[in-house]
Amino acid sequence: MAHALDWFEIPVTDFARAKGFYETVLGINIEPMSMGPLTLGMLSSDPEAVGGALVHGEGGEPSDRGTLVYLNGGDDLALMLARVEGAGGRVAVPKTEIGNGYGFFAHFIDTEGNKVGLHSMK
């Protein structure tokens, strides 16, 4: 077992709005795809890495409570975190040192109301 996390889904109510938010914050292009009644926007689909997607459709409800997913913040999560508010989200926990050499974390609330974390070593 290489990773404790294999796949994650971030529920969204407005796919276009969420897509724009995550494209801006993460600095990536998200291509929508249909899977039955769901619309997915892949954040990562590399078969050698942990994958995840934005998911719009019945059965998912955005929340700032419950499971918390941490996205890779790159070399320094401060760069992504600085784009959160301009993209329509808000910073819930600023960049904070974890200690003991584990790097840094931050939390933001996305445009859909989900609380999501970022992690980086610097």
Side-chain angles (χ1 to χ4, degrees), residues 83-97:
R83 297 190 289 252
V84 166
E85 291 184 1
R90 76 178 166 82
V91 175
V93 176
K95 182 178 177 180
T96 304
E97 186 171 7

Side-chain angles (χ1 to χ4, degrees), residues 18-97:
K19 178 181 177 296
F21 174 82
Y22 281 94
E23 286 179 333
T24 299
V25 172
L26 301 178
I28 62 173
N29 185 38
I30 299 171
E31 291 298 323
M33 66 176 279
S34 294
M35 184 179 285
L38 303 176
T39 301
L40 279 74
M42 300 299 218
L43 299 177
S44 172
S45 59
D46 179 348
E48 300 299 316
V50 174
L54 304 177
V55 180
H56 177 263
E58 213 172 302
E61 184 176 329
S63 175
D64 62 354
R65 299 184 179 114
T67 301
L68 180 60
V69 172
Y70 282 83
L71 302 177
N72 183 338
D75 290 333
D76 182 349
L77 66 82
L79 301 173
M80 288 182 189
L81 196 61
R83 297 190 289 252
V84 166
E85 291 184 1
R90 76 178 166 82
V91 175
V93 176
K95 182 178 177 180
T96 304
E97 186 171 7

